[in-house]
Amino acid sequence: MPSLLSDADDRRRRCWVCYSYDGDEPMAEWVRPCRCRGDTKWVHQHCVQRWVDEKQRGNTALTVSCNACNAEYLIFYPPKDTLLYLMERVDQMVMHICPFFAGIVLVGSVYWTAVTYGAVSVMQVLGHSDGLRFMERMDPMMLLVGLPCIPLVLVAAKMVRWEEALVRLVRTYGPKLFRLRSRPAPRQSLQQQQQQPVQPPPQPPPVEFGLAAHPVSVSRVLCGALALPTVSTVVGKLLFRRVSSSLQRTLLGCFAFVVLKGLTKLIYHQKKWLFVTDRRVLNHPDGTDEDT
Amino acid sequence: MPSLLSDADDRRRRCWVCYSYDGDEPMAEWVRPCRCRGDTKWVHQHCVQRWVDEKQRGNTALTVSCNACNAEYLIFYPPKDTLLYLMERVDQMVMHICPFFAGIVLVGSVYWTAVTYGAVSVMQVLGHSDGLRFMERMDPMMLLVGLPCIPLVLVAAKMVRWEEALVRLVRTYGPKLFRLRSRPAPRQSLQQQQQQPVQPPPQPPPVEFGLAAHPVSVSRVLCGALALPTVSTVVGKLLFRRVSSSLQRTLLGCFAFVVLKGLTKLIYHQKKWLFVTDRRVLNHPDGTDEDT
């Protein structure tokens, strides 16, 4: 196929994609899609098409620019027929709507689990048959709103960290005896004891000690909150067997459990605090007392 | 309080936490907890305690080392009483068990939603009363295993991308007429037309064009899979009104919908492919044909 360019001109153009020259593929169409000059000016039409494919990844609405000179490629597209246009719009619409629907599925799933948990809790607290009767008598709309609120309220209540407020209170205003006590002397060398004859009383750690160690463990709050109805039922049955009303028994069990747990936590944190009050950092054995 | 160190010695020690010297706080206890010398050798006992608190954050089992010389601090702890030891063990156990139980809650929630979805689907496909009767007749264990399998199977089936395999097949082996057609000539300057008298036929884009653009959209797969029973029921009722059996009608509706959707997808992808076949990158208007 004769070219209008001379042989000398032929060798001048070189494709920046496939590195072949003008004469190598006589049938190939050349294009200069951007403002670049020199080695990156010319490119084969079919080579730059591959490059555009790579950039657009099927989305022909995307513009493609030269990486070097930033000039936007001028791309000619044939007119779209109505069917293709409609199909593209539907495809885009579906792409946009799907995450929204997936979100609804997720929220619905959480909601449904909360409703079920609420219903099971009502039956646990009121007793199986009484609970069923109670829910049957209630307005269905009230049930659909009220039941999922049960786990929500439990989790919210669990987030109120009243035990820690109590621990702070005891540490700040509690009896001195409970806050400080004599501590066993740590083993120290004779030399050190001579050097530091005055042993000041141990200072208690700050009131907040240990309370912010596990700020809010999501799993612990969740498990504690969701287990409360079951635990309350069990404690109620163990401690208040004589109470005939299931609701009263479970509420008493709940109260007893919460108070017991709060006190245990108070004692635990206080014991840890006192333990740390008696902690002492010792001199390193490698060092000497003389400063260098 | 008289110190055993002379006044000159007094001024030598300086706390690396509070920067005060020996004489500033006569009651304070000094300690050299690491191998450091010079300015970072000495520190007040109560100052280093605060530093240790900061590092341990309530977990007294943690060792603390000097940031500069890496020497581990020797820390004296009073003996732990049994109650504190037990409480610590219980606390640690709860900390370890809670994420596990939270996982069970999560899995249980997903499972319960899947069971409910399965039951609703059965009632949709078989009709409300027939579906209920079918589930009542079945073994409860079979239901608890079978029902959650329904959404699983639907999602798994949706992941089989048979339409794309069909598109690839058509593009590779389909009739030439369907793959290539005459394309309208893009507007080009007269000069360019003279320079490139031979217009090679447009090359079709690779067979994979557009198929890998949206690899697997999780939300799309999920929505498509979970909507199938509802869509099938609706299509069945619209197209196969005369079929009396609810199961048969829904299955026919499902088949019709899947085939229709597959064909639409095939046409859409093929139209897009042809559209891109006719795409052409044009010369940039700023450039000249002479190379520099």
Side-chain angles (χ1 to χ4, degrees):
Chain A
M1 207 66 65
S3 168
L4 288 186
L5 293 166
S6 68
D7 270 357
D9 288 329
D10 251 359
R11 297 228 62 86
R12 282 199 331 216
R13 291 196 292 197
R14 188 184 177 212
C15 173
W16 57 256
V17 172
C18 71
Y19 295 132
S20 64
Y21 286 94
D22 234 349
D24 299 343
E25 288 181 70
M27 290 285 285
E29 183 189 340
W30 288 92
V31 66
R32 41 172 177 74
C34 61
R35 293 198 203 90
C36 285
R37 302 184 144 258
D39 273 355
T40 55
K41 179 175 186 179
W42 289 103
V43 65
H44 287 132
Q45 178 70 245
H46 64 269
C47 288
V48 80
Q49 289 274 1
R50 281 213 312 276
W51 171 254
V52 170
D53 275 347
E54 198 65 34
K55 290 277 177 182
Q56 289 187 330
R57 297 204 138 268
N59 180 5
T60 51
L62 274 185
T63 60
V64 181
S65 297
C66 171
N67 274 2
C69 73
N70 265 332
E72 191 183 316
Y73 287 1
L74 295 173
I75 304 177
F76 163 85
Y77 289 101
K80 260 181 208 176
D81 66 7
T82 324
L83 187 60
L84 178 58
Y85 178 77
L86 278 177
M87 282 172 152
E88 267 188 354
R89 293 303 295 268
V90 170
D91 188 41
Q92 280 164 13
M93 220 173 62
V94 170
M95 268 325 252
H96 282 111
I97 286 177
C98 275
F100 178 72
F101 271 101
I104 290 182
V105 167
L106 191 74
V107 171
S109 164
V110 172
Y111 171 80
W112 180 241
T113 309
V115 168
T116 311
Y117 175 86
V120 170
S121 297
V122 166
M123 290 197 286
Q124 245 181 352
V125 171
L126 295 183
H128 192 267
S129 50
D130 279 1
L132 269 183
R133 230 175 294 135
F134 171 77
M135 287 191 284
E136 276 164 9
R137 258 186 284 130
M138 266 187 76
D139 182 46
M141 282 308 291
M142 279 293 289
L143 277 184
L144 289 178
V145 175
L147 290 181
C149 281
I150 293 175
L152 280 186
V153 168
L154 284 174
V155 169
K158 181 75 188 171
M159 306 252 292
V160 179
R161 312 186 82 178
W162 62 274
E163 298 111 324
E164 294 185 3
L166 192 68
V167 170
R168 273 198 192 86
L169 217 69
V170 166
R171 284 185 190 170
T172 314
Y173 304 105
K176 283 240 164 182
L177 206 100
F178 195 41
R179 281 193 287 147
L180 288 177
R181 47 172 198 197
S182 69
R183 114 192 106 67
R187 279 148 291 166
Q188 294 212 338
S189 66
L190 188 69
Q191 182 200 10
Q192 202 175 353
Q193 281 176 18
Q194 281 175 341
Q195 191 187 319
Q196 295 176 341
V198 187
Q199 284 290 15
Q203 302 216 354
V207 169
E208 286 73 27
F209 173 79
L211 294 181
H214 316 300
V216 175
S217 160
V218 177
S219 63
R220 201 161 177 166
V221 167
L222 195 76
C223 290
L226 298 185
L228 190 64
T230 310
V231 172
S232 302
T233 312
V234 171
V235 173
K237 277 183 183 160
L238 284 177
L239 297 186
F240 307 97
R241 253 173 262 176
R242 287 180 198 167
V243 180
S244 60
S245 155
S246 181
L247 176 63
Q248 280 175 23
R249 193 174 55 227
T250 309
L251 284 180
L252 283 171
C254 176
F255 183 74
F257 170 71
V258 169
V259 168
L260 209 74
K261 189 158 163 280
L263 282 179
T264 312
K265 217 165 176 175
L266 175 66
I267 293 169
Y268 175 48
H269 279 293
Q270 199 60 17
K271 270 188 167 290
K272 261 194 122 169
W273 195 56
L274 289 173
F275 177 72
V276 170
T277 302
D278 293 343
R279 175 187 67 189
R280 277 170 64 81
V281 177
L282 304 181
N283 287 336
H284 198 274
D286 286 4
T288 56
D289 286 342
E290 289 101 44
D291 196 26
T292 49
Chain B
M1 208 66 64
S3 168
L4 288 187
L5 292 166
S6 69
D7 270 357
D9 288 327
D10 250 358
R11 299 226 62 86
R12 283 200 329 216
R13 291 197 291 198
R14 187 185 178 212
C15 173
W16 55 256
V17 172
C18 70
Y19 294 131
S20 63
Y21 286 94
D22 235 349
D24 300 341
E25 287 181 72
M27 290 284 286
E29 183 189 340
W30 289 91
V31 66
R32 40 171 178 74
C34 61
R35 292 200 202 91
C36 285
R37 303 182 145 259
D39 273 355
T40 54
K41 180 177 184 178
W42 289 102
V43 64
H44 287 132
Q45 177 70 244
H46 63 269
C47 288
V48 79
Q49 288 274 2
R50 283 213 312 276
W51 170 255
V52 170
D53 275 347
E54 198 64 35
K55 290 277 177 182
Q56 289 186 329
R57 299 204 137 267
N59 181 5
T60 51
L62 274 185
T63 60
V64 182
S65 297
C66 171
N67 275 1
C69 74
N70 265 330
E72 191 183 313
Y73 288 0
L74 295 173
I75 303 177
F76 164 84
Y77 289 102
K80 261 181 208 174
D81 66 7
T82 322
L83 186 60
L84 179 58
Y85 179 77
L86 278 176
M87 281 172 152
E88 267 189 354
R89 291 304 295 270
V90 170
D91 188 41
Q92 280 164 13
M93 218 173 63
V94 170
M95 268 324 254
H96 281 111
I97 287 178
C98 275
F100 179 71
F101 271 102
I104 289 183
V105 168
L106 190 75
V107 170
S109 165
V110 172
Y111 170 79
W112 180 241
T113 309
V115 168
T116 311
Y117 175 87
V120 170
S121 298
V122 166
M123 290 196 286
Q124 245 180 354
V125 171
L126 295 182
H128 192 267
S129 50
D130 279 1
L132 269 182
R133 229 175 293 136
F134 172 76
M135 286 190 284
E136 276 163 9
R137 256 186 286 130
M138 267 186 76
D139 182 45
M141 282 310 291
M142 279 295 289
L143 277 183
L144 290 178
V145 175
L147 290 181
C149 281
I150 293 175
L152 280 187
V153 168
L154 284 174
V155 169
K158 181 76 188 171
M159 306 252 292
V160 178
R161 311 186 81 175
W162 61 274
E163 298 111 324
E164 295 186 3
L166 192 68
V167 170
R168 272 199 191 86
L169 216 70
V170 166
R171 283 186 190 169
T172 314
Y173 302 106
K176 283 241 162 178
L177 204 101
F178 195 40
R179 280 191 287 147
L180 287 178
R181 48 172 198 200
S182 70
R183 114 192 104 70
R187 277 149 292 165
Q188 291 212 339
S189 66
L190 188 70
Q191 183 201 10
Q192 202 175 355
Q193 281 177 19
Q194 282 175 340
Q195 191 186 323
Q196 296 177 342
V198 185
Q199 284 290 17
Q203 301 216 354
V207 169
E208 286 74 26
F209 173 79
L211 294 181
H214 316 300
V216 175
S217 159
V218 177
S219 63
R220 200 162 179 165
V221 166
L222 195 75
C223 290
L226 298 186
L228 191 64
T230 311
V231 172
S232 301
T233 311
V234 171
V235 173
K237 277 182 182 161
L238 283 176
L239 298 185
F240 307 99
R241 254 173 260 175
R242 288 181 197 167
V243 180
S244 61
S245 154
S246 180
L247 176 63
Q248 278 175 22
R249 194 174 54 229
T250 310
L251 284 181
L252 282 171
C254 175
F255 184 74
F257 171 71
V258 169
V259 167
L260 208 75
K261 188 159 163 281
L263 282 179
T264 311
K265 214 163 178 177
L266 176 66
I267 293 168
Y268 174 49
H269 279 293
Q270 199 61 17
K271 271 188 166 292
K272 260 195 124 169
W273 196 55
L274 289 173
F275 177 72
V276 169
T277 303
D278 291 344
R279 176 187 65 190
R280 276 169 66 80
V281 176
L282 305 182
N283 287 336
H284 198 273
D286 285 5
T288 56
D289 287 343
E290 287 102 42
D291 196 26
T292 48

